[in-house]
Amino acid sequence: MRIGYLSTIYHTSFILKSGKFPFDKLEETDWIMFPTGPSMIQAFKDKEIDLGYIGLPPVMIGIENGIKIKCVGGGHIEGTVMIANKSYQSYEELGDIELVIKQFNKKTIGTPTKGSIHDVIIRSILKKENISINNYPWADFIPDAIQDGEIAAGVGTPSLATVASKQFNTKIILPPKTLWPYNPSYGIVVQEELISNSKDFIKSFLKAHENASNLIRNEPENAAEIASQEMGIVDKKFVLETYKISPRYCAKIPNKYIESTMKFIPVLKDLGYMKNDLSVKDIFNLKFIDETHAEEAHY
């Protein structure tokens, strides 16, 4: 199997890569890293990967464009934050999203590639504001762009917030809960042909994915140790800090996850990223996760 993943340290990919929770075909699996969700969608289109860790908006754009993929598992919700230098006031200080955003009037905010979940969320918030957006092919470029004065703020994952706070004088000014409640920051997406031909693999993978999600929630220090060793360029403390920014991990796809996903459709259409509507069945196949995770979601 060929699995696409991102550098996002709180995804279970780093724990599953370590072999902590084995799944079918693990020893034959190729792990391929991508800079953003939209680049992974191109790999799905080109049949270069079988399964991917990816935010739902680029998946929806891909499906509308004819790519035969389905989301079969959840992973994390509310994984988008906004950061800026400490001279700016945060949501905790101002208590209002609009007041936070108005600080950036006539300035520029950076975010990953067009069509990524972070890009879609911030564009939906800024559509009435006189604020520019710069898209970056790698989120890693955003902290340096803030430091260099190229942008006034950045929008991305909790990992981005941890990196920026360690390297530069930044802080979170809009925490995950304020930007898009219950947003599907990533799910497990597969080529549709796997649903017919590799049922046992999907169920085995989702069981391992849930075990890793439970480890992050219940034993974060152990999970952070494994993930940091697997990534090799961050330490345990970095991973723990990232886990704490948005600690909502689970493999289940509950109704709230689906409802939040479907709310992206009018936004994606308004932004010109999609033209048509999609149904729940166009995006999701719940059969495997409902079999492997019968209990309620843990988000």
Side-chain angles (χ1 to χ4, degrees):
M1 290 294 169
R2 300 159 301 168
I3 298 178
Y5 72 110
L6 305 169
S7 61
T8 313
I9 194 65
Y10 60 81
H11 290 185
T12 65
S13 50
F14 291 97
I15 295 173
L16 296 192
K17 280 183 71 194
S18 75
K20 170 70 175 177
F21 299 108
F23 56 88
D24 287 355
K25 305 184 189 300
L26 172 60
E27 293 182 358
E28 306 157 33
T29 294
D30 290 327
W31 295 84
I32 306 165
M33 184 180 284
F34 292 87
T36 62
S39 63
M40 194 182 298
I41 288 298
Q42 184 63 44
F44 271 121
K45 180 180 180 180
D46 296 338
K47 299 294 183 73
E48 293 173 353
I49 56 173
D50 304 295
L51 179 149
Y53 285 73
I54 183 171
L56 271 289
V59 172
M60 296 156 74
I61 294 168
I63 291 170
E64 201 233 3
N65 285 321
I67 302 175
K68 302 298 184 182
I69 52 178
K70 286 284 190 294
C71 179
V72 296
H76 181 256
I77 60 168
E78 296 177 357
T80 299
V81 299
M82 184 172 176
I83 61 170
N85 288 326
K86 290 184 179 178
S87 59
Y88 291 98
Q89 290 182 285
S90 68
Y91 179 81
E92 288 186 1
E93 296 166 296
L94 297 175
D96 184 89
I97 294 176
E98 287 189 14
L99 291 178
V100 173
I101 293 296
K102 285 186 183 300
Q103 297 176 100
F104 301 94
N105 188 45
K106 297 183 180 179
K107 297 181 180 179
T108 303
I109 292 174
T111 195
T113 313
K114 279 189 175 183
S116 68
I117 189 167
H118 315 294
D119 169 73
V120 174
I121 287 174
I122 194 59
R123 285 184 185 276
S124 72
I125 292 171
L126 297 184
K127 61 183 178 181
K128 296 179 181 178
E129 304 292 340
N130 185 19
I131 298 172
S132 301
I133 296 176
N134 277 3
N135 292 99
Y136 292 88
W138 285 87
D140 301 350
F141 297 158
I142 293 173
D144 288 318
I146 294 175
Q147 181 67 9
D148 294 342
E150 184 177 310
I151 56 177
V155 176
T157 68
S159 301
L160 169 69
T162 309
V163 168
S165 67
K166 285 189 173 297
Q167 292 182 353
F168 308 116
N169 191 35
T170 64
K171 65 181 180 182
I172 294 173
I173 60 168
L174 284 178
K177 64 181 180 181
T178 63
L179 285 159
W180 189 294
Y182 227 94
N183 74 75
S185 57
Y186 89 87
I188 302 300
V189 174
V190 300
Q191 298 278 8
E192 280 191 6
E193 60 193 45
L194 260 68
I195 293 172
S196 301
N197 304 330
S198 302
K199 294 182 174 68
D200 290 342
F201 164 75
I202 294 174
K203 287 192 282 188
S204 175
F205 183 89
L206 290 176
K207 286 178 182 177
H209 173 50
E210 172 61 8
N211 287 336
S213 299
N214 289 338
L215 189 73
I216 294 172
R217 263 198 344 273
N218 301 326
E219 301 178 47
E221 292 214 1
N222 289 340
E225 182 68 33
I226 295 167
S228 63
Q229 288 183 3
E230 185 61 37
M231 181 174 247
I233 59 173
V234 296
D235 60 19
K236 177 180 174 180
K237 182 180 178 183
F238 176 97
V239 182
L240 279 171
E241 289 178 9
T242 303
Y243 285 166
K244 290 175 183 176
I245 291 172
S246 181
R248 309 194 70 181
Y249 309 97
C250 185
K252 188 76 169 179
I253 302 177
N255 287 335
K256 282 186 177 181
Y257 185 104
I258 295 171
E259 290 165 5
S260 180
T261 300
M262 302 310 287
K263 287 178 182 176
F264 276 103
I265 291 176
V267 176
L268 290 167
K269 290 170 67 177
D270 187 52
L271 291 171
Y273 292 174
M274 284 175 55
K275 294 181 180 178
N276 304 302
D277 290 329
L278 295 173
S279 69
V280 172
K281 289 184 177 180
D282 289 330
I283 304 166
F284 296 98
N285 183 310
L286 304 179
K287 172 181 170 60
F288 302 103
I289 195 60
D290 286 349
E291 289 179 7
T292 57
H293 193 311
E295 67 269 34
E296 294 296 314
H298 302 111
Y299 296 110

